Amino acid sequence: MTRRGRGPLDPEALLRLGTSEHYEDPELYDFEYRDHRHDVAWYRGLARDRGPRQRIVELGAGTGRISLPLCHDGHSVVAVDRMPTMLDHLRRKAGGLAGDVAARLEPVLGDIMALPLPDASADLVFAPFNVLMHLYSWADLLRCFREAARVLVPGGRFAFDVLLPDLEWLTWDPDERHSVTHFTHPRTGAAMVYSTNHTYDPHTQVCHVRIFYDEAPRRPRAFKPPPEPLQVVHLAHRQIFPEELRHLVAAAGLALDSLGGNFRGTRLATGIDSQCGLCTKPDGHVLKDMS
């Protein structure tokens, strides 16, 4: 982590940084999401319900938080990601696994809008943990959904999860720090404080999140944000609304089986964090023109 706050950035620069910066330190990424497990159980269950030895493509596989458990379950996983740092860390982690488990993993550097995979080569395609929120236009989202449909076998299933837009949260004060958390850096051992704020652009539906890392004050002093943060990491997430997801599924020629909340099939409503979609590629798959 090296970037410090240096004043406002133009929208294109914000998108570039927001797409990549959060994924440049894979060790810290793994540490921050080490307790995020409910989605792992959901995707493992989807694969298990379909049967043993499934051929799975994971979009935005990162460091393998979901891919590696799927390989442990006996499935073959093509782990696609655009960040070499994340895939390198995934390879290092896979190197410590039993040979038969590691052999079921294929890390692939690639674009989820143009998958370097043949038609009808996957039983399941998974797009977990908000990866679709890094596609910032309808056209890009539709390309991804159509690619998922292309690589699926007839009867194959596409599953994804994205945040349910929280209209109140999106309008919070962009200068106030939230989620203030003390932690010990997993690599350096430094005592640090994590906090965030964000700015929402209704025109683009993109929320620009700023993640601040600062030195922790000596206790019992309370944390007070310094004038200049030690580091700022940007994260850009396009907000995707439920009706958009339904239209994307249909435009890709897929059949929507369910769109529920929080990995439990709960009806989408205030207080739900995640939208979890499951759809099927029908026989005689046909793309629809919904432009």
Side-chain angles (χ1 to χ4, degrees):
M1 299 186 300
T2 57
R3 184 178 181 83
R4 295 171 182 265
R6 299 186 187 279
L9 295 163
D10 66 74
E12 289 189 7
L14 274 175
L15 283 182
R16 286 195 302 272
L17 294 175
T19 303
S20 302
E21 276 196 336
H22 190 47
Y23 312 106
E24 291 174 353
D25 187 337
E27 291 176 85
L28 183 59
Y29 179 91
D30 272 356
F31 176 79
E32 290 180 341
Y33 299 111
R34 65 196 183 281
D35 296 327
H36 198 79
R37 305 295 302 169
H38 44 286
D39 57 342
V40 180
W42 189 67
Y43 286 104
R44 292 177 84 174
L46 292 176
R48 181 176 59 250
D49 290 346
R50 188 172 173 90
R53 295 183 293 280
Q54 295 295 299
R55 297 170 298 168
I56 302 172
V57 175
E58 184 185 352
L59 310 183
T63 64
R65 191 173 57 85
I66 291 172
S67 287
L68 293 178
L70 290 169
C71 291
H72 273 287
D73 292 343
H75 308 295
S76 299
V77 180
V78 177
V80 182
D81 203 282
R82 63 179 294 276
M83 292 294 293
T85 49
M86 302 291 271
L87 289 181
D88 288 346
H89 194 62
L90 171 57
R91 291 185 184 96
R92 288 192 292 271
K93 291 164 69 173
L97 302 176
D100 59 332
V101 176
R104 290 193 282 271
L105 177 71
E106 182 184 355
V108 172
L109 184 66
D111 185 343
I112 64 174
M113 296 182 291
L115 295 171
L117 303 171
D119 296 353
S121 58
D123 303 302
L124 295 161
V125 175
F126 293 158
F129 203 28
N130 310 321
V131 64
L132 298 176
M133 297 175 74
H134 284 300
L135 302 176
Y136 301 116
S137 71
W138 164 268
D140 286 349
L141 281 161
L142 183 55
R143 289 188 190 100
C144 179
F145 274 67
R146 286 180 168 175
E147 278 294 271
R150 180 183 66 79
V151 302
L152 281 170
V153 298
R157 307 190 88 181
F158 177 38
F160 56 85
D161 68 273
V162 296
L163 294 175
L164 178 65
D166 182 333
L167 299 181
E168 180 184 359
W169 176 83
L170 290 171
T171 60
W172 281 7
D173 185 344
D175 296 318
E176 183 179 346
R177 300 279 191 95
H178 311 288
S179 304
V180 176
T181 305
H182 289 254
F183 73 101
T184 301
H185 196 283
R187 187 174 57 256
T188 67
M192 302 190 71
V193 174
Y194 165 106
S195 60
T196 70
N197 60 28
H198 57 269
T199 303
Y200 178 56
D201 180 357
H203 184 73
T204 61
Q205 296 180 208
V206 176
C207 184
H208 296 279
V209 180
R210 294 168 291 276
I211 305 170
F212 301 91
Y213 296 95
D214 292 290
E215 295 178 351
R218 292 187 178 181
R219 296 184 184 276
R221 286 193 301 158
F223 172 69
K224 181 180 179 180
E228 178 76 10
L230 181 65
Q231 183 183 4
V232 183
V233 170
H234 295 83
L235 177 65
H237 271 169
R238 184 188 188 277
Q239 305 302 294
I240 310 175
F241 291 84
E243 195 65 3
E244 280 190 279
L245 290 170
R246 296 184 183 103
H247 279 281
L248 285 162
V249 169
L254 298 166
L256 183 64
D257 302 316
S258 62
L259 182 62
N262 288 354
F263 304 96
R264 296 192 299 269
T266 308
R267 187 177 187 275
L268 299 177
T270 301
I272 294 294
D273 294 321
S274 296
Q275 306 175 80
C276 307
L278 181 62
C279 42
T280 299
K281 178 177 178 176
D283 293 333
H285 167 260
V286 177
L287 296 175
K288 295 183 180 180
D289 183 3
M290 301 184 70
S291 58

Coordinates of all heavy atoms in Angstrom, one line a residue, residues 3-23 82 133-134 136 197-201 204 206-211 232-238:
R3 N -0.3 4.5 -1.9 CA -1.0 5.7 -2.3 C -1.5 6.5 -1.1 O -2.1 6.0 -0.2 CB -2.2 5.4 -3.2 CG -2.8 6.6 -3.8 CD -3.9 6.3 -4.7 NE -4.5 7.5 -5.2 CZ -4.0 8.2 -6.2 NH1 -2.9 7.8 -6.8 NH2 -4.5 9.3 -6.6
R4 N -1.3 7.8 -1.1 CA -1.8 8.7 -0.1 C -2.8 9.6 -0.7 O -2.8 9.8 -2.0 CB -0.7 9.5 0.6 CG 0.3 8.7 1.3 CD 1.5 9.5 1.7 NE 2.5 8.7 2.4 CZ 2.6 8.6 3.8 NH1 1.7 9.3 4.5 NH2 3.5 7.9 4.4
G5 N -3.7 10.2 0.1 CA -4.7 11.2 -0.4 C -4.0 12.4 -1.0 O -3.1 13.0 -0.3
R6 N -4.3 12.8 -2.2 CA -3.7 14.0 -2.8 C -4.7 14.8 -3.6 O -4.4 15.4 -4.6 CB -2.6 13.5 -3.8 CG -1.5 12.7 -3.2 CD -0.4 12.4 -4.2 NE 0.7 11.5 -3.7 CZ 1.6 11.9 -2.9 NH1 1.7 13.2 -2.5 NH2 2.5 11.1 -2.4
G7 N -5.8 15.0 -3.0 CA -6.8 15.9 -3.6 C -7.8 15.1 -4.5 O -7.6 13.9 -4.7
P8 N -8.7 15.8 -5.1 CA -9.7 15.1 -5.9 C -9.2 14.5 -7.2 O -8.2 15.1 -7.8 CB -10.7 16.2 -6.2 CG -10.0 17.5 -6.0 CD -8.9 17.2 -5.0
L9 N -9.8 13.4 -7.7 CA -9.4 12.8 -8.9 C -10.5 12.9 -9.9 O -11.7 13.0 -9.5 CB -9.1 11.3 -8.6 CG -7.9 11.0 -7.7 CD1 -8.0 9.6 -7.2 CD2 -6.6 11.2 -8.5
D10 N -10.2 12.9 -11.2 CA -11.2 12.9 -12.2 C -12.0 11.6 -12.2 O -11.5 10.6 -11.8 CB -10.7 13.3 -13.6 CG -9.7 12.2 -14.1 OD1 -10.3 11.2 -14.5 OD2 -8.5 12.4 -14.1
P11 N -13.2 11.6 -12.8 CA -14.0 10.3 -12.8 C -13.4 9.1 -13.4 O -13.5 8.0 -12.8 CB -15.3 10.8 -13.5 CG -15.4 12.2 -13.3 CD -14.0 12.7 -13.3
E12 N -12.7 9.3 -14.5 CA -12.0 8.1 -15.1 C -10.9 7.6 -14.2 O -10.7 6.4 -14.1 CB -11.5 8.5 -16.5 CG -12.6 8.8 -17.5 CD -12.0 8.9 -18.9 OE1 -10.8 8.7 -19.1 OE2 -12.8 9.3 -19.8
A13 N -10.1 8.5 -13.6 CA -9.1 8.0 -12.7 C -9.7 7.3 -11.5 O -9.1 6.3 -11.0 CB -8.2 9.2 -12.3
L14 N -10.8 7.8 -11.0 CA -11.4 7.2 -9.8 C -11.9 5.8 -10.2 O -11.7 4.8 -9.4 CB -12.6 8.0 -9.4 CG -12.4 9.1 -8.4 CD1 -13.7 9.9 -8.2 CD2 -11.8 8.6 -7.1
L15 N -12.4 5.6 -11.4 CA -12.8 4.2 -11.8 C -11.6 3.3 -12.0 O -11.7 2.1 -11.6 CB -13.6 4.3 -13.1 CG -15.1 4.8 -13.1 CD1 -15.7 4.8 -14.4 CD2 -15.9 4.0 -12.1
R16 N -10.5 3.8 -12.6 CA -9.4 3.0 -12.7 C -8.8 2.5 -11.3 O -8.5 1.3 -11.1 CB -8.3 3.7 -13.5 CG -8.5 3.9 -15.0 CD -7.3 4.3 -15.7 NE -6.7 5.5 -15.2 CZ -7.0 6.7 -15.6 NH1 -7.9 6.9 -16.6 NH2 -6.5 7.8 -15.1
L17 N -8.7 3.5 -10.4 CA -8.2 3.1 -9.1 C -9.2 2.2 -8.4 O -8.8 1.3 -7.7 CB -7.9 4.4 -8.3 CG -6.8 5.3 -8.8 CD1 -6.8 6.6 -8.0 CD2 -5.5 4.6 -8.8
G18 N -10.5 2.6 -8.5 CA -11.5 1.8 -7.8 C -11.7 0.4 -8.3 O -12.3 -0.4 -7.6
T19 N -11.2 0.1 -9.5 CA -11.3 -1.2 -10.0 C -10.1 -2.1 -9.5 O -10.3 -3.3 -9.4 CB -11.3 -1.2 -11.5 OG1 -12.3 -0.4 -12.0 CG2 -11.4 -2.6 -12.2
S20 N -9.0 -1.5 -9.2 CA -7.8 -2.3 -8.9 C -7.2 -2.1 -7.5 O -6.6 -3.1 -7.0 CB -6.7 -1.9 -10.0 OG -7.2 -2.1 -11.3
E21 N -7.2 -0.9 -7.0 CA -6.4 -0.7 -5.8 C -6.7 -1.6 -4.6 O -5.7 -2.0 -3.9 CB -6.6 0.8 -5.3 CG -5.7 1.8 -6.0 CD -5.7 3.1 -5.2 OE1 -6.6 3.4 -4.5 OE2 -4.7 3.9 -5.5
H22 N -7.9 -2.0 -4.4 CA -8.3 -2.8 -3.3 C -7.7 -4.2 -3.4 O -7.7 -5.0 -2.4 CB -9.8 -2.9 -3.2 CG -10.3 -3.5 -2.0 ND1 -9.9 -3.2 -0.7 CD2 -11.3 -4.5 -1.8 CE1 -10.5 -3.9 0.2 NE2 -11.4 -4.7 -0.4
Y23 N -7.2 -4.6 -4.6 CA -6.8 -5.9 -4.9 C -5.3 -6.0 -5.1 O -4.8 -7.0 -5.6 CB -7.6 -6.5 -6.1 CG -9.0 -6.2 -5.9 CD1 -9.7 -5.2 -6.7 CD2 -9.8 -6.9 -5.0 CE1 -11.0 -5.0 -6.5 CE2 -11.1 -6.7 -4.8 CZ -11.8 -5.7 -5.6 OH -13.1 -5.4 -5.4
R82 N -8.7 -10.5 -13.3 CA -7.9 -9.6 -14.1 C -6.7 -9.1 -13.4 O -5.9 -8.3 -14.0 CB -8.8 -8.4 -14.5 CG -9.3 -7.6 -13.3 CD -10.2 -6.4 -13.7 NE -9.4 -5.4 -14.5 CZ -8.7 -4.5 -13.9 NH1 -8.6 -4.4 -12.5 NH2 -8.0 -3.6 -14.6
M133 N -20.2 -5.7 -9.7 CA -20.2 -4.3 -9.4 C -19.0 -3.5 -9.9 O -19.0 -2.3 -9.9 CB -20.4 -4.1 -7.9 CG -21.7 -4.7 -7.4 SD -21.9 -4.6 -5.6 CE -22.3 -2.8 -5.4
H134 N -18.0 -4.2 -10.5 CA -16.9 -3.6 -11.1 C -17.1 -3.4 -12.7 O -16.2 -3.0 -13.4 CB -15.6 -4.3 -10.9 CG -15.1 -4.1 -9.5 ND1 -14.7 -2.9 -9.1 CD2 -14.8 -5.0 -8.5 CE1 -14.2 -3.0 -7.8 NE2 -14.3 -4.3 -7.5
Y136 N -19.2 -1.1 -15.0 CA -19.8 0.2 -14.7 C -20.8 0.7 -15.7 O -21.3 1.8 -15.6 CB -18.6 1.2 -14.6 CG -17.6 0.8 -13.5 CD1 -16.3 0.5 -13.8 CD2 -18.0 0.7 -12.2 CE1 -15.4 0.2 -12.8 CE2 -17.2 0.3 -11.2 CZ -15.8 0.0 -11.5 OH -14.9 -0.3 -10.5
N197 N -15.2 6.1 4.1 CA -16.4 7.0 3.7 C -16.6 6.8 2.2 O -15.9 6.0 1.6 CB -16.2 8.4 4.2 CG -15.0 9.1 3.6 OD1 -14.5 8.8 2.5 ND2 -14.5 10.1 4.3
H198 N -17.6 7.5 1.7 CA -17.9 7.2 0.3 C -18.7 8.4 -0.3 O -19.3 9.2 0.4 CB -18.7 5.9 0.1 CG -20.0 5.9 0.9 ND1 -20.0 5.4 2.2 CD2 -21.3 6.3 0.7 CE1 -21.3 5.6 2.7 NE2 -22.0 6.1 1.8
T199 N -18.7 8.4 -1.6 CA -19.5 9.4 -2.4 C -20.2 8.7 -3.5 O -19.6 7.9 -4.2 CB -18.5 10.5 -3.0 OG1 -17.8 11.1 -2.0 CG2 -19.4 11.5 -3.8
Y200 N -21.5 8.9 -3.6 CA -22.3 8.3 -4.6 C -22.7 9.2 -5.7 O -23.1 10.4 -5.5 CB -23.6 7.8 -3.9 CG -24.6 7.1 -4.9 CD1 -24.1 6.0 -5.7 CD2 -25.9 7.5 -5.1 CE1 -25.0 5.4 -6.6 CE2 -26.8 6.9 -6.0 CZ -26.3 5.8 -6.7 OH -27.2 5.2 -7.6
D201 N -22.5 8.8 -6.9 CA -22.8 9.5 -8.1 C -24.1 8.9 -8.7 O -24.1 7.9 -9.4 CB -21.7 9.4 -9.2 CG -22.0 10.2 -10.4 OD1 -23.1 10.8 -10.6 OD2 -21.1 10.3 -11.3
T204 N -24.2 8.0 -12.7 CA -23.5 6.8 -13.1 C -23.9 5.5 -12.3 O -23.5 4.4 -12.7 CB -22.0 6.9 -13.1 OG1 -21.6 7.1 -11.8 CG2 -21.5 8.1 -14.0
V206 N -22.5 4.8 -9.6 CA -21.3 4.3 -9.0 C -21.1 5.0 -7.6 O -21.1 6.2 -7.5 CB -20.1 4.6 -9.9 CG1 -18.8 4.2 -9.3 CG2 -20.2 3.9 -11.3
C207 N -20.8 4.1 -6.7 CA -20.4 4.6 -5.3 C -18.9 4.5 -5.2 O -18.3 3.4 -5.4 CB -21.1 3.7 -4.3 SG -20.7 4.3 -2.6
H208 N -18.2 5.6 -4.9 CA -16.8 5.6 -4.8 C -16.4 5.6 -3.3 O -16.7 6.5 -2.6 CB -16.2 6.9 -5.4 CG -16.5 7.0 -6.9 ND1 -15.6 6.3 -7.8 CD2 -17.4 7.6 -7.6 CE1 -16.1 6.6 -9.0 NE2 -17.1 7.3 -9.0
V209 N -15.9 4.4 -2.9 CA -15.6 4.2 -1.5 C -14.1 4.5 -1.3 O -13.3 4.1 -2.1 CB -15.9 2.7 -1.1 CG1 -15.5 2.5 0.3 CG2 -17.3 2.4 -1.4
R210 N -13.8 5.2 -0.2 CA -12.5 5.4 0.2 C -12.2 4.7 1.5 O -12.9 4.8 2.5 CB -12.3 7.0 0.4 CG -12.4 7.8 -0.8 CD -12.5 9.3 -0.5 NE -13.7 9.6 0.1 CZ -14.9 9.8 -0.5 NH1 -14.9 9.8 -1.9 NH2 -16.0 10.2 0.1
I211 N -11.1 3.8 1.4 CA -10.7 3.0 2.6 C -9.4 3.7 3.1 O -8.4 3.8 2.4 CB -10.5 1.6 2.2 CG1 -11.7 1.0 1.5 CG2 -10.1 0.7 3.4 CD1 -11.5 -0.4 0.9
V232 N -4.8 5.9 1.4 CA -6.2 5.8 0.9 C -6.3 4.8 -0.2 O -5.5 4.9 -1.1 CB -6.8 7.2 0.4 CG1 -8.2 7.0 0.1 CG2 -6.6 8.3 1.5
V233 N -7.2 3.9 -0.1 CA -7.4 2.9 -1.2 C -8.8 3.1 -1.7 O -9.8 3.2 -0.9 CB -7.2 1.4 -0.6 CG1 -7.7 0.4 -1.7 CG2 -5.8 1.2 -0.3
H234 N -8.9 3.2 -3.0 CA -10.2 3.5 -3.6 C -10.9 2.2 -4.1 O -10.2 1.2 -4.5 CB -10.0 4.4 -4.8 CG -9.6 5.8 -4.5 ND1 -8.2 6.0 -4.3 CD2 -10.2 6.9 -4.2 CE1 -8.1 7.3 -4.0 NE2 -9.3 7.9 -3.9
L235 N -12.2 2.2 -4.0 CA -13.0 1.0 -4.4 C -14.3 1.6 -5.0 O -15.1 2.3 -4.4 CB -13.4 0.2 -3.2 CG -14.3 -1.0 -3.4 CD1 -13.6 -2.1 -4.3 CD2 -14.7 -1.7 -2.1
A236 N -14.5 1.3 -6.3 CA -15.6 1.8 -7.1 C -16.6 0.7 -7.3 O -16.3 -0.4 -7.9 CB -15.2 2.4 -8.4
H237 N -17.8 0.8 -6.9 CA -18.9 -0.2 -7.0 C -20.1 0.4 -7.7 O -20.7 1.3 -7.2 CB -19.3 -0.7 -5.6 CG -18.5 -1.9 -5.2 ND1 -18.6 -2.4 -3.9 CD2 -17.6 -2.7 -5.8 CE1 -17.8 -3.4 -3.7 NE2 -17.2 -3.6 -4.9
R238 N -20.4 -0.1 -8.9 CA -21.7 0.3 -9.5 C -22.9 -0.4 -8.8 O -22.9 -1.6 -8.5 CB -21.7 -0.1 -11.0 CG -23.0 0.4 -11.7 CD -23.0 -0.2 -13.1 NE -24.1 0.3 -13.9 CZ -25.3 0.0 -13.9 NH1 -25.7 -1.0 -13.1 NH2 -26.2 0.5 -14.7

